[in-house]
Amino acid sequence: MIERVRFGLVGYGTGGRVFHAPLIASAANIEFAGVVTTSPERRAQVTEQLPGVETYDSIAALAADGVQAVAISTPAATHAALAVEAIEAGLAVVVDKPFAPDADAARKLVTTAEEAGVLLTVYQNRRWDSDLLTIRKLIENGSLGAIRRFESRMERWAPERLPGAAGGGTLLDFGSHLVDQALQLHGPADRVYAEVHGPDGGLDDDWFMALHHTGGVESHLWGSWRQAGPGPRFRVTGTAGTFISPELDYQETLLKAGKSPARLGDRWGVEPEHRWGHLFRGATGAPVESCRGRWDTFYPAVAAAVLGEGPLPVDPWDSVRAMEILDAARESATTGTAVAL
């Protein structure tokens, strides 16, 4: 019999319902015990979509029922306070991105968990995007040579949709992923320049950031809800070639369609051939088979860490460093100058 961790979820909006619940429920070493929500509508959805999973009014009630770990997927401004509540209850904690509103709050949260001896990690699921894993493989096998420029975008055309307060704005929302991915591939950065735009009185909905990594790579990152002609998801240029991946990882589409790793098994995260990226050397490009996307490995790794059988999948200090860059990006956008890190 495999030992299973009793796991809870706080919040059952789009994030909790689409991006967390199916992956928690699919993990073999997890017992999905309950969802914290006080909304009658959300409670009804839990009952319908997750048979056997209980609903609770609070984290304290969840903890009192023997839950060992919890994932927090609520509006961004509530993440830190709810995480502290879970830490004080002795629960291992997964916090959705954005981890915290700024680097100071993120640093305080990690320190609080360490002092309490409680496991804390961040839901940086896009470290296991198919296209990012493919890029990592190309870098490691030398197909691109020495990397010179890394371009990464999350751009959408929805000018009528203003970023909601739940995500904290497009820079925090998309930037939490894009900065983390750039740091994972290319190491620390020592300078950032950013341009951030948004409607008067509203949260930012369009931004550009340039990171200079200490190893010499230049990362150019874009996030937007009002880009009518989205660029390729990735373009990575090295001394031996350029890799272009056109579309966002397929796992998001699968989850939004109601699919899960439990239902698809080994077909989970496999990119259709027409979505593969191409490696260019001049005018001609050859398709590169995409690595399998592996969001399904995150929660099993968290459960293993709770059981003392492995490390956390994401070091929370990585997210502190990413928040330092996002803070510097806001400063840069305000001053119009590059900011040293």
Side-chain angles (χ1 to χ4, degrees), residues 17 34 41 46 95 103 106 109-110 117 159-160 165 189 193 206 212 229 251 274 277 303 316 324 335:
R17 187 173 64 255
E41 178 187 356
V46 171
V95 182
L109 188 53
V110 177
E160 74 291 344
Y193 169 79
D206 184 270
H212 176 76
Q251 293 171 97
H274 69 270
E324 290 171 347
T335 62

Side-chain angles (χ1 to χ4, degrees), residues 131-148:
D131 40 23
L132 192 78
L133 295 175
T134 304
I135 290 167
R136 184 184 293 278
K137 181 178 179 180
L138 290 173
I139 291 173
E140 290 175 350
N141 68 23
S143 296
L144 297 171
I147 305 302
R148 296 291 184 243

Side-chain angles (χ1 to χ4, degrees), residues 28-328:
N29 57 353
I30 285 177
E31 176 191 345
F32 196 170
V35 175
V36 175
T37 176
T38 57
S39 163
E41 178 187 356
R42 300 296 189 216
R43 284 177 172 248
Q45 289 175 326
V46 171
T47 300
E48 177 186 355
Q49 298 167 5
L50 300 170
V53 175
E54 300 292 332
T55 56
Y56 297 85
D57 292 329
S58 66
I59 291 174
L62 197 70
D65 207 18
V67 167
Q68 301 162 271
V70 67
I72 295 171
S73 181
T74 55
T78 68
H79 286 179
L82 289 171
V84 169
E85 186 178 340
I87 290 167
E88 290 176 346
L91 303 180
V93 190
V94 175
V95 182
D96 206 347
K97 58 82 195 166
F99 180 45
D102 54 47
D104 284 344
R107 199 174 294 111
K108 182 178 180 180
L109 188 53
V110 177
T111 302
T112 298
E114 289 183 345
E115 291 175 349
V118 171
L119 294 178
L120 172 69
T121 190
V122 186
Y123 190 60
Q124 291 291 357
N125 58 313
R126 292 197 175 276
R127 290 189 181 186
W128 294 273
D129 277 3
S130 170
D131 40 23
L132 192 78
L133 295 175
T134 304
I135 290 167
R136 184 184 293 278
K137 181 178 179 180
L138 290 173
I139 291 173
E140 290 175 350
N141 68 23
S143 296
L144 297 171
I147 305 302
R148 296 291 184 243
R149 181 177 294 117
F150 174 72
E151 300 174 34
S152 175
R153 298 170 173 84
M154 285 186 175
E155 297 176 329
R156 303 178 183 184
W157 175 236
E160 74 291 344
R161 176 177 173 179
L162 298 179
T170 306
L171 178 64
L172 268 181
D173 190 14
F174 292 170
S176 293
H177 281 313
L178 300 189
V179 170
D180 182 73
Q181 289 180 328
L183 295 179
Q184 284 297 299
L185 284 179
H186 310 300
D190 56 18
R191 186 175 68 247
V192 59
Y193 169 79
E195 299 169 2
V196 180
H197 305 283
D200 292 339
L203 294 168
D204 60 271
D205 62 2
D206 184 270
W207 57 269
F208 164 75
M209 185 190 309
L211 290 180
H212 176 76
H213 296 268
T214 56
V217 176
E218 301 287 345
S219 285
H220 290 178
L221 315 175
W222 290 262
S224 182
W225 279 101
R226 57 182 177 88
Q227 174 51 260
R233 173 68 183 89
F234 287 109
R235 184 169 69 168
V236 189
T237 301
T239 54
T242 293
F243 176 74
I244 298 177
S245 181
E247 300 182 73
L248 192 66
D249 176 273
Y250 198 48
Q251 293 171 97
E252 178 176 332
T253 299
L254 292 173
L255 289 173
K256 288 180 175 179
K259 304 294 175 40
S260 72
R263 291 181 61 185
L264 295 183
D266 289 341
R267 292 179 294 147
W268 173 263
V270 176
E271 293 278 336
E273 188 171 347
H274 69 270
R275 296 172 56 93
W276 292 357
H278 286 69
L279 178 60
F280 289 86
R281 292 186 174 92
T284 58
V288 176
E289 182 176 358
S290 294
C291 294
R292 179 183 170 190
R294 296 311 306 261
W295 293 4
D296 58 316
T297 62
F298 179 86
Y299 276 108
V302 174
V306 172
L307 295 170
E309 298 172 353
L312 287 167
V314 176
D315 183 339
W317 285 108
D318 289 351
S319 290
V320 174
R321 287 182 279 273
M323 289 305 310
E324 290 171 347
I325 289 174
L326 293 172
D327 285 354

